[in-house]
Amino acid sequence: MDVTATIESAMVLAAGLGKRMRPLTATRPKPLVRVAGKPLIDHSLDRIEAAGIGHVVVNVHYLADALEAHLAKQKRRFTIAVSDERAQLLETGGGMLKALPLLTGDPILIVNSDNIWTDGPQDSIRHLARHWDGKRMDALLLVIRQASATGHRGRGDFHMDPAGRLSRRKPGRIAPFVYTGIQLISRRLLDDAPEGPFSANILWDRAIAAGRLYGLSHMGQWFDVGTPAAIAPTEAALSEV
């Protein structure tokens, strides 16, 4: 195993419109919807802080003023910068590309703001860092077996070979692994990226074609908190942790 990668900075993707979370997002951005006693985004920020990362970038678009005000009140052991997408929502890939000048180091942690996870035997972010190999990988995705993906209603996202390389679910089929919304990326993943709004799926597909998209199985709990109906079951499960 290579020496553990040093993660200097992280990005929290928080600019989405939160349509699936309506009506709760009529007056607040989805990252500020409260689950288990605190806003969704604070769950992610807690995990990032516990991993010892020193700088965080958060992108904003929908009801951006409220999210910026919340971030300004944070008392954390990391610095926070805002990537402003008020003028144009850039989707996951475009948002990462716009924020890249604000992010330091390589690899970079990227986290969705609408997932909650608990650690297994070890810190999940540090677990990713220990398995990072920049010579072989453009991205390392934390994935979880579909049967353990609480609140997830899809058919799975990826297959994973014995070496950890990921491939897409085939149309009409079921795949065993679900993406958790947590990944380490090399800055190289964004080389020659499209301009304007685009999905990170474009970047992943390029990495798959090059044999450079890898996965790591999550050993803790994971909750997809994308709809109002998902909140109560998530809170009940977290109360038992």
Side-chain angles (χ1 to χ4, degrees):
M1 183 63 63
D2 286 359
V3 175
T4 298
T6 299
I7 307 173
E8 292 184 10
S9 62
M11 180 179 186
V12 180
L13 297 170
L17 298 173
K19 291 180 178 179
R20 291 195 305 138
M21 193 60 92
R22 289 176 179 169
L24 299 180
T25 49
T27 56
R28 76 192 78 179
K30 183 165 66 171
L32 295 187
V33 170
R34 296 182 73 84
V35 179
K38 57 188 168 188
L40 268 171
I41 194 171
D42 286 10
H43 290 276
S44 297
L45 296 177
D46 288 349
R47 305 312 315 151
I48 290 168
E49 187 170 35
I53 295 170
H55 180 62
V56 176
V57 174
V58 180
N59 65 340
V60 300
H61 173 76
Y62 176 64
L63 299 177
D65 289 353
L67 188 50
E68 278 198 302
H70 178 74
L71 295 172
K73 296 174 188 173
Q74 296 287 311
K75 292 180 173 59
R76 300 280 184 175
R77 292 193 298 272
F78 51 69
T79 55
I80 299 177
V82 170
S83 181
D84 192 338
E85 296 181 24
R86 283 177 174 85
Q88 183 181 32
L89 182 59
L90 293 171
E91 300 183 39
T92 51
M96 288 156 55
L97 183 63
K98 179 179 174 64
L100 195 60
L102 302 173
L103 292 157
T104 60
D106 196 348
I108 298 163
L109 179 72
I110 310 290
V111 176
N112 292 355
S113 62
D114 58 356
N115 304 312
I116 296 175
W117 73 96
T118 62
D119 292 324
Q122 52 191 309
D123 181 286
S124 303
I125 295 172
R126 290 192 169 107
H127 190 44
L128 275 172
R130 274 191 285 272
H131 284 79
W132 176 258
D133 182 352
K135 295 177 182 177
R136 293 186 298 135
M137 303 171 179
D138 287 342
L140 177 61
L141 279 54
L142 191 67
V143 296
I144 189 167
R145 288 198 171 275
Q146 187 176 3
S148 302
T150 308
H152 187 74
R153 296 288 181 263
R155 294 185 169 188
D157 300 314
F158 295 104
H159 298 272
M160 186 162 59
D161 74 11
R165 280 185 296 266
L166 296 178
S167 57
R168 292 282 191 185
R169 176 179 63 83
K170 302 295 188 291
R173 303 287 184 87
I174 291 174
F177 289 100
V178 172
Y179 172 53
T180 64
I182 305 157
Q183 62 177 321
L184 279 181
I185 68 162
S186 168
R187 304 180 83 89
R188 180 176 53 246
L189 183 72
L190 290 156
D191 287 351
D192 302 316
E195 295 183 6
F198 69 93
S199 170
N201 283 305
I202 291 174
L203 306 175
W204 290 347
D205 285 342
R206 293 194 317 187
I208 288 171
R212 297 182 63 83
L213 189 74
Y214 281 75
L216 182 66
S217 187
H218 179 49
M219 305 306 290
Q221 291 178 297
W222 177 81
F223 305 91
D224 183 351
V225 197
T227 65
I231 294 175
T234 298
E235 290 178 332
L238 288 171
S239 70
E240 298 172 1
V241 174

